[in-house]
Amino acid sequence: MADKSSSIARQKAIQELIKKTAISDQKQLIELLIKHYNIKTNQAVVSRDLRKLKVVKKMVNGLMIYEMPDVDVTTEILRLALVDIDHNESIIVIKTHPGLADFVGDCVDRHSDLEVLGCLAGENVVFVIPKSIKNIRKTYETICEKFLFKQTKKA
């Protein structure tokens, strides 16, 4: 079995090649790995690497070529905006970096599947009012999960 460092180096090389070269198939990718990085590998390994890296194929100028996955800007901003999410018996409080509370509040409003009556956003705090205080813990956990926030509050 190949060691982890060679796997990481190969995957980094694959990412670099895909970013700067139009590659249409795994055979071409294997040839470029040998030519540019002196990395000898096979189709099965490259296939696993492409899956692990979540590489997709897109139509560009009439050719299907490998592309690195697009970053969801909204999710990335949301993840970086959050400072803390906490709750008591009646309200959920989301703390953000200054100026980002309205963005986070809009994200809460767009999630119609949350058990939320509504929210109020200031400069760096969002007050979230749950539909029922009986399920506040579940609503808190769902918000943390959807907004990719690691919970710190114990059950």
Side-chain angles (χ1 to χ4, degrees):
M1 187 167 152
D3 67 32
K4 189 171 177 130
S5 63
S6 67
S7 173
I8 292 169
R10 185 182 60 251
Q11 290 170 7
K12 187 173 181 343
I14 289 171
Q15 288 174 317
E16 289 174 11
L17 285 169
I18 288 173
K19 285 177 186 173
K20 64 183 180 183
T21 310
I23 302 170
S24 59
D25 61 40
Q26 292 177 7
K27 182 180 178 213
Q28 180 185 9
L29 181 55
I30 292 167
E31 290 168 359
L32 290 170
L33 283 168
I34 293 168
K35 180 179 177 184
H36 294 284
Y37 295 93
N38 200 27
I39 295 175
K40 294 178 176 80
T41 189
N42 61 46
Q43 183 273 328
V45 171
V46 166
S47 180
R48 278 193 300 271
D49 287 341
L50 291 172
R51 241 186 340 272
K52 184 173 182 176
L53 294 169
K54 295 182 169 93
V55 172
V56 295
K57 269 196 154 178
K58 289 188 179 176
M59 182 70 74
V60 178
N61 297 331
L63 287 174
M64 289 295 287
I65 63 168
Y66 291 117
E67 294 259 322
M68 294 306 298
D70 292 333
V71 174
D72 179 1
V73 176
T74 301
T75 302
E76 194 64 17
I77 293 171
L78 181 62
R79 187 181 66 77
L80 295 171
L82 299 175
V83 173
D84 191 26
I85 303 176
D86 204 351
H87 71 89
N88 62 14
E89 297 81 22
S90 59
I91 196 165
I92 299 166
V93 177
I94 302 174
K95 294 180 182 172
T96 72
H97 289 285
L100 293 171
D102 59 342
F103 175 82
V104 173
D106 287 343
C107 290
V108 171
D109 290 340
R110 278 196 302 267
H111 281 281
S112 59
D113 57 336
L114 294 174
E115 292 293 315
V116 170
L117 281 177
C119 65
L120 179 65
E123 176 73 11
N124 60 345
V125 174
V126 180
F127 295 108
V128 180
I129 297 88
K131 283 185 180 175
S132 169
I133 60 172
K134 293 176 185 171
N135 298 325
I136 195 163
R137 176 73 188 174
K138 183 177 181 283
T139 304
Y140 161 79
E141 290 171 351
T142 304
I143 289 171
C144 288
E145 180 183 322
K146 288 191 179 291
F147 292 3
L148 305 174
F149 183 79
K150 295 189 187 319
Q151 300 174 32
T152 57
K153 192 170 178 101
K154 302 294 181 214

